[in-house]
């Protein structure tokens, strides 16, 4: 039986590239939820590392920029070496809330062996239309590789079981790696994903309340490293290269349609999607 996940047996891995603006808040938030945090600095040339120097975290530094995929691989290796039962990833730019971590852990315990994705399904009006359309396209494309649908395949807030984080030779660099690991886990381990609704956070203007604290609705984020045209082209061509087989396409399409996205949301706010329910063993 898999170990029950809790704050002391998971490791949070945060890949970071020039995140001086928000990295301290991100790391401090993660530390409030989990005991072990690893930051992988991908050759930043700003004050990213200096901003977290006083915090009790492990910092790994790439001497030159290797991309998000390489940073995640390095973080996974370090987390597993530390004995992690699962690895939880967050971006360093503040788009993900550490307060959502307990909800991802809850889903991980209800669905052991699943990859848990923090899916940006709440306050989606904040998400630019082109990003929504591009994400929907990517979700459909990656489904051809996994054989089942996933809500928000582009979210970087995920909980990976240790056996998934330990997969060797997952191809793809940068953002392609995050798409490929879903496909590799499905094909090599039979792993499924379950999504937990989180908020979309795309505010760009900074402001502060009278107390000096930033208003969550107007927090400032740096421009995303993700470039929709470039990166979706890379992801799409990568996935198509693996899945293009006209003989099998009708069967794959039937499989995808028979396996809609699983959403764990006890609040019931997403009745329009198939809601995942815990598997209760029969005695």
């Amino acid at each position: 039986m898999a170990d029950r996940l809790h704050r002391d047996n998971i490791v949070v891995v945060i890949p970071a590239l020039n995140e001086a603006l928000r990295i301290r808040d991100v790391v401090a938030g993660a530390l409030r939820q989990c005991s072990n945090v690893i930051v992988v600095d991908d050759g930043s040339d700003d004050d990213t590392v200096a901003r977290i120097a006083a915090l009790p975290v492990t910092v790994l530094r790439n001497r030159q920029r290797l991309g998000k995929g390489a940073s995640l691989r390095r973080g996974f290796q370090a987390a597993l070496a530390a004995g992690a039962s699962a690895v939880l990833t967050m971006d360093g730019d503040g788009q993900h809330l550490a307060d959502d971590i307990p909800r991802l852990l809850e889903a991980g315990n209800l669905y052991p062996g699943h990859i848990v994705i923090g899916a940006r399904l709440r306050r989606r009006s904040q998400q630019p239309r082109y990003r929504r359309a591009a994400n929907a396209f990517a979700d459909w494309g990656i489904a051809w590789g996994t054989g089942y649908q996933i809500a928000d395949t582009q979210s970087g807030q995920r909980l990976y079981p240790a056996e998934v984080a330990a997969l060797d030779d997952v191809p793809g660099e940068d953002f392609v790696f995050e798409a490929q690991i879903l496909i590799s886990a499905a094909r090599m381990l039979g792993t499924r994903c379950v999504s937990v609704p989180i908020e979309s956070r795309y505010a760009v203007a900074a402001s502060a309340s009278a107390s000096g604290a930033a208003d969550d609705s107007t927090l400032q984020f740096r421009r995303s490293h993700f470039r929709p045209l470039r990166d979706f082209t890379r992801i799409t061509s990568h996935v198509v290269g693996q899945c293009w087989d006209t003989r099998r396409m009708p069967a794959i399409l039937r499989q995808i349609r028979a396996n809609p996205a699983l959403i764990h949301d006890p609040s019931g706010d997403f009745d329009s999607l198939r809601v995942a329910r815990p598997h209760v063993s029969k005695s």
Side-chain angles (χ1 to χ4, degrees), residues 20-33:
L21 180 65
R22 299 295 307 282
I23 190 64
R24 186 175 180 85
D25 291 339
V26 171
V27 173
L31 285 169
R32 286 193 293 271
Q33 301 296 339

Side-chain angles (χ1 to χ4, degrees), residues 82-186:
S85 296
V87 181
L88 193 146
T89 59
M90 295 175 60
D91 291 346
D93 60 0
Q95 296 285 345
H96 303 137
L97 290 173
D99 288 346
D100 286 321
I101 290 176
R103 298 173 58 241
L104 270 66
L105 292 182
E106 175 189 52
N109 284 319
L110 287 170
Y111 298 92
H114 284 57
I115 297 170
V116 182
I117 296 178
R120 296 161 293 183
L121 300 176
R122 292 181 171 153
R123 294 170 64 180
R124 296 192 74 189
S125 60
Q126 290 192 3
Q127 191 175 25
R129 286 186 179 180
Y130 74 90
R131 289 294 296 269
R132 267 184 281 172
N135 286 344
F137 178 77
D139 289 350
W140 182 245
I142 290 174
W144 285 87
T146 60
Y148 65 91
Q149 298 175 50
I150 304 170
D152 201 355
T153 58
Q154 302 307 297
S155 174
Q157 189 171 33
R158 301 178 179 180
L159 179 70
Y160 295 99
E163 59 269 24
V164 174
L167 283 173
D168 291 327
D169 299 324
V170 176
E173 298 304 326
D174 296 319
F175 294 96
V176 173
F177 174 81
E178 289 181 295
Q180 179 61 48
I181 196 168
L182 302 179
I183 297 172
S184 294

Side-chain angles (χ1 to χ4, degrees), residues 153 222 262:
T153 58
R222 59 116 175 107
L262 299 179

Side-chain angles (χ1 to χ4, degrees), residues 49-109:
V49 174
R51 291 283 308 225
I52 58 175
L55 297 178
V57 300
T58 298
V59 178
L60 306 176
R61 303 195 69 176
N62 298 333
R63 293 186 178 181
Q64 59 186 13
R65 295 182 186 178
L66 302 177
K68 190 176 185 182
S71 294
L72 287 172
R73 289 188 185 94
R74 188 175 183 188
F76 288 172
Q77 291 171 357
L80 295 174
S85 296
V87 181
L88 193 146
T89 59
M90 295 175 60
D91 291 346
D93 60 0
Q95 296 285 345
H96 303 137
L97 290 173
D99 288 346
D100 286 321
I101 290 176
R103 298 173 58 241
L104 270 66
L105 292 182
E106 175 189 52
N109 284 319

